[in-house]
Amino acid sequence: MRDFTQDHQWLSINTATVKKQWPLDRIIDECAQRGIRAISPWRDQVAAVGLDKIAQQLRHTGIELSGYCRGGFYPAADAAGRQAALLDNYRAIDEAKTLNAPCLVLVVGALPGALAGKPEYTDISRARNEVFDGIASSLEYARTAGMPLAIEPLHPMQAAERACVNTLEHALDICDALDPSRTGALGVAVDAYHVWWDPKLESQIARAGKSRLLAWHVCDWLTPTRDLLNDRGMMGDGVIELQKIRGQMEAAGYAGFAEVEIFSELDWWQRPGEVVLDTCISRHKSVI
Amino acid sequence: MRDFTQDHQWLSINTATVKKQWPLDRIIDECAQRGIRAISPWRDQVAAVGLDKIAQQLRHTGIELSGYCRGGFYPAADAAGRQAALLDNYRAIDEAKTLNAPCLVLVVGALPGALAGKPEYTDISRARNEVFDGIASSLEYARTAGMPLAIEPLHPMQAAERACVNTLEHALDICDALDPSRTGALGVAVDAYHVWWDPKLESQIARAGKSRLLAWHVCDWLTPTRDLLNDRGMMGDGVIELQKIRGQMEAAGYAGFAEVEIFSELDWWQRPGEVVLDTCISRHKSVI
């Protein structure tokens, strides 16, 4: 297992972590000043500054991406909606390519309309079929572009609104069906926050193997958790056994970044961005 | 599939649903007045009125139990704590017997101390081992008493604090290990709220079969869900496909009650108990 205690060379910052403090160009500069080698930006943050400007800044600072957030949200109540979702995924793939991302992370979507509080249907099997078809279509485009797709299973508490793929096993079943020869074009993003509870986590990480393990996200599960979306904890402040899970990831062949992704309305989004980044660096050494 | 539209003969009320409105003796009277044939009471509600008094009232009104809540909470930081938990489970089994319950529902527990915000350890594998051993010991006592135990997988968002058994598959693995010959002494409580998201739900209900399906709890998953514990919805107000799941339960052999269990700090606990019960009756017919 890699030694994370001496430096933070494997730290990546998912830029949602400080999105309330700074625009993306400032985030990149702050990361560069601290010797943070990688980030994972969100599409809206990129668009707010400008895709080409961000691509140029990344080249200039030498900061690489550990992933690009995000594609997905495939299900829709009608064919026009599903087609619009596909086209948007193609654009996300192009943007990821421009930014030289190693993968596009897919938050696959769930019951259409549920995120706005009005589900247009409640048939989760149908949503799962639409997700499968959407990934299949995106994958054709992504193969041509040379951009790997990383399915991110979300915590089951997000099953209605954000992703109806909620276990690593389910995500890998989709990978096996659509990319049986493990070309590297399709894999998973393993976010500890979403999967730490799963009794099959270790066996499914081993099943995924190096060719499917495209990203590794970290934060912590707080007790109590006060909000279903925006109450993630800093590594070390909760109950997730991050070192144990990293050991399982590395045993399976993963050798990439540990990407910190913290949505924290009540805590870390309220603190100065400098404090957040410095804490990520110190916890990378002491906790991850 | 049974016809639920004409009457409410298969309705049971988990008494937590109106626990903020009334003490248990009043709840039983209100149910009796409405022709509700069954309840599932909680230990603290029984203790507040008195075990023998409740047993007598149940005989008098003819109301039966669909389950007794609850045993479990096995993990502890030390042997003394685990032994105390076992003894408490034995008492719960005795109480269930006194009340003529068809099963004792087990909320198995998770990281000790986490419910109070201070986990004494974070090794969830250890907690799962302690749960397994605790169920094994309880089962010996329960077999002698003739009281079936129903493992209730809780939603993964409760994995740190309340139950580290979070899928029907995991619960059935425990059943298969401890009661391989399917004697009826050990099974599961299927709560739609906790398991609706699971892509393996249908296959695991079929795997459970009649001998393991000891209870069936219903409410609904709201979008948005504003609290991890106390924001359950009334059947029909959320996204759970209750009729579809009931069909799967009945196809597997389940022919018991639909037990309504709603924890709702922001809504149903604030309404008059009469309104809650009348709504449960109407939704039993129109939704379940």
Side-chain angles (χ1 to χ4, degrees):
Chain A
M1 203 163 143
R2 294 173 290 173
D3 180 5
F4 273 25
T5 64
Q6 301 303 310
D7 54 48
H8 56 286
Q9 67 166 306
W10 294 110
L11 175 65
S12 171
I13 300 294
N14 184 297
T15 58
T17 305
V18 284
K19 74 177 179 182
K20 297 291 174 77
Q21 289 91 339
W22 295 320
L24 185 55
D25 49 352
R26 174 77 185 274
I27 294 173
I28 294 172
D29 283 340
E30 295 282 347
C31 286
Q33 284 171 30
R34 286 168 176 78
I36 293 170
R37 296 200 302 140
I39 62 168
S40 183
W42 285 66
R43 291 183 75 193
D44 58 338
Q45 292 176 295
V46 170
V49 178
L51 178 65
D52 293 334
K53 191 174 165 197
I54 293 297
Q56 191 175 27
Q57 191 184 7
L58 290 170
R59 283 192 298 274
H60 180 70
T61 56
I63 288 184
E64 57 185 299
L65 263 54
S66 57
Y68 188 49
C69 297
R70 58 170 173 63
F73 274 82
Y74 295 107
D78 56 29
R82 291 189 290 279
Q83 182 63 20
L86 264 188
L87 293 176
D88 194 49
N89 273 277
Y90 299 163
R91 282 191 294 273
I93 290 165
D94 292 341
E95 292 167 26
K97 198 68 191 170
T98 299
L99 297 173
N100 202 26
C103 62
L104 175 68
V105 173
L106 301 182
V107 174
V108 297
L111 304 176
L115 195 54
K118 289 197 182 294
E120 296 182 76
Y121 63 73
T122 58
D123 181 351
I124 196 166
S125 296
R126 172 178 163 185
R128 285 173 173 148
N129 288 335
E130 293 178 4
V131 163
F132 186 91
D133 293 344
I135 295 175
S137 298
S138 300
L139 185 59
E140 286 182 46
Y141 189 90
R143 281 190 198 276
T144 308
M147 178 52 57
L149 301 179
I151 304 169
E152 181 171 357
L154 293 202
H155 195 284
M157 68 187 174
Q158 305 295 345
E161 289 141 320
R162 286 181 178 78
C164 59
V165 173
N166 307 102
T167 60
L168 200 46
E169 184 175 32
H170 186 187
L172 291 170
D173 287 347
I174 297 171
C175 291
D176 286 352
L178 294 178
D179 182 46
S181 54
R182 291 177 169 266
T183 62
L186 186 61
V188 293
V190 178
D191 185 319
Y193 190 77
H194 293 304
V195 300
W196 73 276
W197 60 272
D198 187 349
K200 302 178 89 169
L201 179 59
E202 183 172 8
S203 65
Q204 294 300 313
I205 287 174
R207 170 189 172 193
K210 185 177 172 63
S211 64
R212 297 256 198 253
L213 294 171
L214 302 184
W216 158 236
H217 301 177
V218 296
C219 65
D220 217 332
W221 181 275
L222 300 175
T223 55
T225 291
R226 297 157 293 177
D227 184 87
L228 277 79
L229 187 65
N230 293 324
D231 195 23
R232 302 190 192 190
M234 180 63 69
M235 301 75 70
D237 291 347
V239 301
I240 302 179
E241 298 172 289
L242 289 168
Q243 283 189 34
K244 187 186 284 185
I245 300 174
R246 180 162 72 88
Q248 296 164 0
M249 292 283 292
E250 298 198 9
Y254 183 73
F257 289 100
E259 177 185 320
V260 178
E261 184 179 26
I262 301 176
F263 300 167
S264 172
E265 190 69 61
L266 299 163
D267 188 349
W268 296 95
W269 281 341
Q270 307 291 337
R271 303 201 199 191
E274 294 86 348
V275 171
V276 178
L277 293 184
D278 290 342
T279 307
C280 289
I281 290 171
S282 67
R283 299 292 176 91
H284 172 277
K285 297 179 188 171
S286 64
V287 177
I288 306 176
Chain B
M1 202 163 144
R2 294 173 290 173
D3 180 4
F4 273 27
T5 65
Q6 301 303 310
D7 54 49
H8 56 284
Q9 67 166 307
W10 294 109
L11 176 65
S12 171
I13 300 294
N14 183 298
T15 57
T17 305
V18 284
K19 73 177 179 181
K20 297 291 173 78
Q21 289 91 339
W22 296 319
L24 184 55
D25 48 354
R26 172 78 184 274
I27 294 172
I28 293 172
D29 283 340
E30 295 282 348
C31 285
Q33 283 171 30
R34 286 169 176 77
I36 293 171
R37 295 200 302 141
I39 63 168
S40 182
W42 286 66
R43 292 183 74 192
D44 58 338
Q45 293 176 294
V46 170
V49 178
L51 178 65
D52 292 335
K53 190 173 166 199
I54 293 296
Q56 191 174 27
Q57 190 183 6
L58 289 171
R59 283 191 298 272
H60 179 72
T61 57
I63 287 185
E64 56 185 299
L65 264 54
S66 57
Y68 188 49
C69 296
R70 58 171 172 63
F73 274 81
Y74 295 107
D78 56 30
R82 290 189 291 280
Q83 182 63 22
L86 264 187
L87 293 176
D88 194 49
N89 273 279
Y90 298 163
R91 282 191 293 274
I93 290 165
D94 292 341
E95 292 168 26
K97 197 70 191 168
T98 299
L99 297 173
N100 202 26
C103 62
L104 175 68
V105 173
L106 301 183
V107 174
V108 297
L111 304 176
L115 196 54
K118 289 195 182 295
E120 297 182 75
Y121 64 73
T122 58
D123 181 350
I124 195 166
S125 296
R126 173 179 162 184
R128 286 173 172 148
N129 288 335
E130 293 178 4
V131 163
F132 185 91
D133 293 343
I135 295 174
S137 297
S138 300
L139 185 59
E140 286 183 45
Y141 189 91
R143 280 189 199 277
T144 307
M147 178 52 57
L149 301 179
I151 304 170
E152 182 171 356
L154 292 203
H155 195 285
M157 67 187 175
Q158 305 295 347
E161 288 140 321
R162 286 182 178 78
C164 59
V165 173
N166 307 102
T167 61
L168 200 46
E169 184 175 32
H170 186 188
L172 291 170
D173 287 347
I174 296 170
C175 290
D176 286 352
L178 293 178
D179 182 45
S181 54
R182 291 177 168 267
T183 62
L186 186 62
V188 293
V190 178
D191 185 320
Y193 190 76
H194 293 304
V195 300
W196 73 275
W197 61 271
D198 188 347
K200 302 178 89 170
L201 178 59
E202 182 171 8
S203 65
Q204 295 300 314
I205 287 174
R207 170 189 171 192
K210 186 178 172 65
S211 64
R212 298 257 197 251
L213 295 171
L214 302 184
W216 157 237
H217 300 176
V218 297
C219 65
D220 217 332
W221 181 276
L222 301 174
T223 56
T225 291
R226 297 157 294 178
D227 184 89
L228 277 79
L229 187 65
N230 293 325
D231 194 23
R232 302 191 192 189
M234 179 63 68
M235 301 76 70
D237 291 347
V239 301
I240 303 179
E241 299 171 288
L242 289 168
Q243 283 189 33
K244 188 186 285 185
I245 300 174
R246 180 162 72 88
Q248 296 165 2
M249 293 283 291
E250 298 198 9
Y254 183 73
F257 289 99
E259 177 185 320
V260 177
E261 184 179 26
I262 300 176
F263 299 167
S264 172
E265 190 69 61
L266 299 163
D267 190 349
W268 295 96
W269 281 342
Q270 307 292 337
R271 304 201 198 191
E274 295 86 349
V275 171
V276 178
L277 293 184
D278 290 343
T279 307
C280 289
I281 289 171
S282 67
R283 299 293 176 91
H284 172 276
K285 297 178 188 172
S286 64
V287 177
I288 306 176

